[in-house]
Amino acid sequence: MAPIDPHSYTDSTHPLTTHIALTFYFDFPSSTIFSSTLISLPAPYSGPFTLDTRSLSITSVLDPTTRNPLPFTLATATDPILGQSITITLSNQSQVLILSKTTPSSSALQWLSPPQTFNKAFPFVYTQCQSIHARSIFPCQDTPAARIMYTAKLNVPRYLSAVMAAKHVERRDPVAGESLGACEDPVWCEEGRVVEEFVMEQPVPPYLFAFAVGELGFREVGPRTRVYAEAVPGVLDAASREFAGTEEMIRVGERLFGPYEWERFDLLVLPPSFPYGGMENPRMVFLTPTVIKGDATGAQVVAHELAHSWTGNLITNKTNDHFWLNEGFTTYAERRIVEAVQGEDRTALNIGIGWRGLVEEMERFKDNMEFTKLKTNQEGVDPDNVYSQVPYEKGFQFLWRIERQIGRPAFDVFLKKYIATFKFQSIDTDMFIEFLKANVTGIEDQIDLKLWVEGTGIPPDAMEPVSNIYSKIVSLANEFKLGRMPKEDEVADWHGQEWELYLENLPKSVEASQVSALDARYRLSESKDYEVKVAFLQLAISSRCRDYYNEVEKTLKEVGRMKYLRPLYTALVQGTGKEEENIFAKRVFSEACDCYHPIARGVVEAILAKYS
């Protein structure tokens, strides 16, 4: 076997899937999806054909033309990271039909009972497939090296609706025979069911497969954009206000990076358990409700997911070892969009917060510096456990360094050519470096490309942002160390990002009395902006200021975004003399974990296991 990806059983000697036709029957009482997966190959093929699965129950494997069973073997051992391989023996077939069902441990899916939703009336289910979780919904070559087009028929209760990261074809009554064996026709066509049909006509990596089913409403916010969320007027109205400037950002993106290739740019605000800030699913970006801040700064997360429409979705890292090609480019592109729409000062704050995050990741990985490289080796490593700001911020710094070397106009020309050359392809770091050297003469003599890509730590020619507002905030944070708190007139026009940057630059441990005094004046523990609130609570934990542990508990129980869970749980249990905090953290997790997405649950379990 010759794997093409350390996180997949996909064999380089096997053909890559070109198209998948999916039928899903959603059974909410048992939290199960019954499915048929019709895989198409580029040509008839004979021999073994291996797919990824995890936590799936495989019912049968058939030749779709004759309906005859095909021989297959499911690996006896389940790898904790990769799951189980299924190897099918094909004899001059170009298609294979697999019938399966999900299980309660399918890691891509979160099933929410009615009490876990905003309206508390109906159930809800949604997916998160990045990095390697599509295989827990349907068998596939779950590697970004294998780009697929697909169709999907979702059979759901009539009182719910479905959205997908694909083009909506129609909502209609079920038709006998169309389930391809996912379930019996009487079940598929029973009263009170409806089929939502979708098509994805562009080849995408499997991690961009996404759907949500629930009681959904929407608001129009632009010619190409609707905001979807649970049908709660308050949530929909707040989201449509926060993201009112989306069309302007799309136009800026097109001016900078070329045509927007995905037709629609819709947004779905998910329940608070969604584990990421945003997920760049094409045509339908998934967002956490914590980005709705009331001051339009949440639009920066939308700018990041929009930028993925070019870097990540159009051009994709071939494996997670090259994740910086997705995230470093997208962070650079996001900041160019933010600069055009919100100005240079706002961008400098964004870069400054990113710089602090990068410095902190160096501390986090000090015992395993492999993960401070851009080009990593993740063999035997769960990508969710080493997910960090390094590919984002070090990747950004690398591209910013190239821009400074050759000038922005030349870099913009290079960027557009790069996107046009590799669109709808999956590439690796070496391909990018060769393209860079071929198109920017002598760049390897001006920048140490090998150090940037393969070296550990932060290269000496990386740079903090230069701006008056950034310098002022950092100097105020330095003065706090000397006992001086910022005056009210100094912070009168601060928003969440200014406070976040200030808190990130404070020493990690100060006197508990200083923490209380800062909060007494500025009420940071009560901030509606979770970036500010969590940064403050981290400071409170590291200063052993136990007055705030109730607020820490409340926060850990009301949101499931890993950006907040990871630092708060880590701050509680990392270090010596933390027995009391350890007990507290484990209790809170035991009470909150049912509300976390399986990915987030796994990450917190790893943190607690590491420091217990």
Side-chain angles (χ1 to χ4, degrees):
M1 182 176 170
I4 60 173
D5 182 332
H7 296 123
S8 173
Y9 290 112
T10 302
D11 193 308
S12 61
T13 63
H14 297 178
L16 292 180
T17 305
T18 54
H19 188 276
I20 299 181
L22 295 156
T23 56
F24 290 155
Y25 180 90
F26 289 77
D27 184 56
F28 278 91
S30 67
S31 298
T32 305
I33 300 171
F34 297 87
S35 62
S36 69
T37 304
L38 178 62
I39 290 174
S40 297
L41 304 176
Y45 170 74
S46 296
F49 180 61
T50 301
L51 299 169
D52 296 301
T53 79
R54 189 199 292 120
S55 305
L56 287 180
S57 174
I58 306 291
T59 314
S60 55
V61 179
L62 307 169
D63 179 321
T65 310
T66 64
R67 288 292 187 159
N68 291 333
L70 293 174
F72 73 93
T73 55
L74 200 58
T76 49
T78 300
D79 184 276
I81 298 168
L82 303 184
Q84 271 180 304
S85 63
I86 179 172
T87 301
I88 303 159
T89 303
L90 298 180
S91 302
N92 203 36
Q93 276 113 352
S94 58
Q95 289 189 314
V96 58
L97 178 64
I98 305 165
L99 306 182
S100 63
K101 64 178 181 177
T102 61
T103 64
S105 49
S106 293
S107 55
L109 298 168
Q110 183 167 28
W111 299 85
L112 299 175
S113 62
Q116 292 174 299
T117 65
F118 281 111
N119 268 352
K120 319 258 182 245
F122 297 109
F124 196 101
V125 64
Y126 71 90
T127 59
Q128 172 56 38
C129 288
Q130 195 177 43
S131 296
I132 51 170
H133 300 279
R135 67 192 67 180
S136 71
I137 307 174
F138 58 96
C140 59
Q141 293 168 313
D142 195 4
T143 166
R147 301 178 75 100
I148 51 165
M149 294 178 280
Y150 66 85
T151 58
K153 294 170 184 169
L154 279 60
N155 184 312
V156 302
R158 188 174 290 277
Y159 54 81
L160 301 179
S161 54
V163 292
M164 276 197 94
K167 183 178 187 175
H168 189 249
V169 178
E170 61 178 337
R171 178 181 168 99
R172 56 168 175 77
D173 290 333
V175 176
E178 70 178 342
S179 81
L180 294 182
C183 62
E184 299 295 329
D185 277 348
V187 175
W188 182 263
C189 297
E190 70 188 345
E191 192 72 28
R193 303 292 297 191
V194 68
V195 169
E196 301 257 28
E197 196 168 341
F198 299 87
V199 60
M200 172 45 75
E201 296 165 325
Q202 293 143 307
V204 294
Y207 73 77
L208 291 178
F209 178 84
F211 62 72
V213 179
E215 184 193 20
L216 297 170
F218 66 85
R219 297 278 187 274
E220 303 280 355
V221 295
R224 293 179 264 195
T225 305
R226 284 176 172 178
V227 174
Y228 290 83
E230 287 187 69
V232 181
V235 175
L236 285 163
D237 292 343
S240 57
R241 282 193 301 272
E242 191 81 23
F243 308 130
T246 301
E247 177 63 23
E248 183 188 0
M249 292 197 297
I250 300 172
R251 288 180 183 159
V252 168
E254 289 184 307
R255 194 170 72 240
L256 290 170
F257 313 121
Y260 180 78
E261 300 267 3
W262 306 95
E263 188 183 6
R264 298 284 307 171
F265 183 72
D266 292 325
L267 309 170
L268 171 65
V269 178
L270 283 155
S273 59
F274 185 60
Y276 290 99
M279 180 62 212
E280 65 270 18
N281 302 312
R283 301 181 64 104
M284 179 69 70
V285 163
F286 284 17
L287 294 167
T288 167
T290 63
V291 301
I292 302 172
K293 302 181 183 186
D295 61 2
T297 57
Q300 290 191 17
V301 172
V302 175
H304 183 89
E305 307 314 330
L306 169 65
H308 268 302
S309 303
W310 292 274
T311 53
N313 297 6
L314 264 191
I315 307 176
T316 307
N317 50 231
K318 193 173 273 186
T319 76
N320 222 66
D321 286 345
H322 309 278
F323 191 47
W324 81 273
L325 288 172
N326 278 20
E327 296 300 352
F329 269 94
T330 297
T331 302
Y332 175 86
E334 166 208 342
R335 286 169 181 159
R336 291 293 302 279
I337 293 170
V338 169
E339 183 182 313
V341 175
Q342 297 185 355
E344 290 183 8
D345 274 351
R346 197 58 43 202
T347 308
L349 291 177
N350 189 312
I351 296 170
I353 291 165
W355 176 264
R356 287 303 316 161
L358 182 60
V359 170
E360 283 169 20
E361 296 291 26
M362 297 303 126
E363 175 64 22
R364 173 184 163 196
F365 290 118
K366 66 177 185 287
D367 298 326
N368 197 343
M369 293 297 279
E370 173 67 28
F371 302 114
T372 68
K373 297 176 181 177
L374 288 183
K375 181 181 172 184
T376 58
N377 176 9
Q378 295 188 19
E379 185 80 45
V381 174
D382 186 335
D384 291 334
N385 288 343
V386 294
Y387 176 86
S388 79
Q389 290 303 299
V390 174
Y392 295 74
E393 296 300 341
K394 188 174 178 179
F396 163 79
Q397 286 284 342
F398 181 33
L399 299 173
W400 197 29
R401 173 70 185 89
I402 298 168
E403 183 207 283
R404 291 198 301 275
Q405 186 65 44
I406 67 175
R408 179 169 281 188
F411 191 67
D412 282 355
V413 171
F414 168 80
L415 207 50
K416 270 191 173 167
K417 186 176 180 183
Y418 166 72
I419 292 166
T421 302
F422 293 111
K423 70 179 184 178
F424 295 113
Q425 295 179 50
S426 299
I427 71 167
D428 61 24
T429 301
D430 293 347
M431 291 169 72
F432 168 72
I433 294 295
E434 288 310 309
F435 184 80
L436 175 67
K437 291 195 288 195
N439 286 275
V440 182
T441 308
I443 190 70
E444 65 270 37
D445 302 321
Q446 298 157 330
I447 299 174
D448 189 339
L449 302 179
K450 191 176 174 69
L451 175 72
W452 268 98
V453 168
E454 297 178 27
T456 58
I458 302 175
D461 48 347
M463 195 173 111
E464 281 188 78
V466 178
S467 90
N468 291 338
I469 182 75
Y470 177 77
S471 303
K472 179 188 167 189
I473 291 169
V474 171
S475 70
L476 282 172
N478 289 332
E479 288 178 10
F480 187 83
K481 299 167 194 173
L482 306 172
R484 186 174 103 71
M485 206 183 298
K487 298 194 189 82
E488 295 196 14
D489 62 332
E490 291 174 309
V491 302
D493 56 353
W494 282 16
H495 296 291
Q497 278 192 307
E498 286 87 344
W499 276 113
E500 185 187 355
L501 186 66
Y502 176 78
L503 290 165
E504 295 282 359
N505 278 278
L506 292 180
K508 284 297 158 246
S509 188
V510 296
E511 293 296 323
S513 58
Q514 286 181 286
V515 174
S516 300
L518 183 65
D519 192 49
R521 184 176 290 185
Y522 294 115
R523 298 285 175 213
L524 301 177
S525 65
E526 298 166 21
S527 175
K528 298 283 183 281
D529 186 329
Y530 277 93
E531 311 291 329
V532 176
K533 181 186 222 171
V534 170
F536 176 80
L537 292 176
Q538 276 181 265
L539 183 70
I541 293 167
S542 61
S543 302
R544 303 287 178 100
C545 197
R546 293 196 171 94
D547 296 353
Y548 292 99
Y549 281 21
N550 283 344
E551 196 59 51
V552 170
E553 178 170 348
K554 183 165 161 272
T555 302
L556 290 171
K557 287 180 173 178
E558 67 191 6
V559 293
R561 186 178 176 185
M562 291 191 293
K563 184 177 184 182
Y564 309 141
L565 302 186
R566 188 182 270 115
L568 288 177
Y569 277 111
T570 302
L572 283 169
V573 298
Q574 188 178 36
T576 55
K578 291 287 193 79
E579 290 77 12
E580 200 176 316
E581 284 84 353
N582 230 299
I583 294 165
F584 171 74
K586 286 175 177 169
R587 176 183 63 75
V588 172
F589 177 66
S590 70
E591 293 169 10
C593 65
D594 284 348
C595 294
Y596 295 161
H597 187 279
I599 296 173
R601 211 157 47 226
V603 164
V604 177
E605 282 169 350
I607 290 168
L608 297 179
K610 181 178 178 182
Y611 295 108
S612 65

